[in-house]
Amino acid sequence: MNSGKGRLIVTVDGPSGVGKTTLAGRLAKHLGVARLDTGAMYRGAAWALGARLMEMTSEQRASRLAGLRFDLRGAGEDTQLTLNGEPLPPEIRSETVGLLASDAATLPEVRAFQKAAQQALGREHDLVAEGRDMGVNVFPHAPHKFFLDASPEVRAARRVDQFKAMGLPADLEEIAEQMRRRDVQDRTRALDPLRPAVDALIIDTSLIGVDAVLSAMLAALGEGAGGSY
Ligand code: DC
């Protein structure tokens, strides 16, 4: 798949709860490359800067961000993202850190830092890169782009299942409301709002399972199902 002109980069964008992380992991496994979970990078940076990050000056934030280094190891679903050599802690998955990450993601110095870090990882590794602005902003020249979407009800229900699987408390109404707030902010922010790239294949995952979505993605990549997933 690598044309020799550069690294293989496949982008997978969309809001939370559409199955991005699962599908990016499965696709990366099939292709034998790393998955880059850029949501985890935003969450990890927000967690590292702390709950008061929105009260800091831009200079304070930029200098704290300069001390952060993300690295990738492994491939597929087993890809490990590290921050300054350490795995990211499970608490980055809480909706509190998600909202803080979404707030931080509106700031120019945070987006500039993340874009540079993500592009540097894309120079070192073949990637399936998942997030909000992979196809439009970070890897605009990627030859294969996907945008996943699903109804708000399905997304909230999936989020509840994920939280339960992690042993975290999960109230459907509360999670649906937090997702709605985060969605509005991610879709309407001035800088790199969530939107599909013009050349992305848009897939609604509301009514189809992971295997069917993966088949559609592999077909678009010209890989065929191959029976290996
Ligand atoms: O995908 P996630 O829910 O883990 O992402 C957490 C937040 O990070 C999301 O609400 C917005 C921000 N984010 C972003 O702005 N750009 C990305 N490429 C990935 C995440």
Side-chain angles (χ1 to χ4, degrees), residues 13-14 16 20 37-40 42-43 93 98 101-102 105 111 118 130-134 159 182 186 189 192:
D13 288 300
S16 57
K20 272 191 324 263
D37 178 351
T38 61
Y42 277 89
R43 286 167 182 266
R93 292 292 156 202
S102 176
R111 299 211 70 82
Q118 291 156 10
E130 54 131 327
R132 302 290 189 287
D133 63 338
M134 296 298 100
R159 200 72 177 171
R182 200 143 68 82
D186 292 345
R189 69 182 175 220
D192 315 322

Side-chain angles (χ1 to χ4, degrees), residues 183-195:
D183 257 16
V184 169
Q185 177 154 281
D186 292 345
R187 287 180 199 266
T188 60
R189 69 182 175 220
L191 297 172
D192 315 322
L194 169 67
R195 63 193 153 93

Side-chain angles (χ1 to χ4, degrees), residues 27 63 86 103 118 127 157 170 175 205 224:
L27 190 56
S63 105
E86 301 289 333
D103 289 347
Q118 291 156 10
L127 291 178
I175 285 179
T205 70

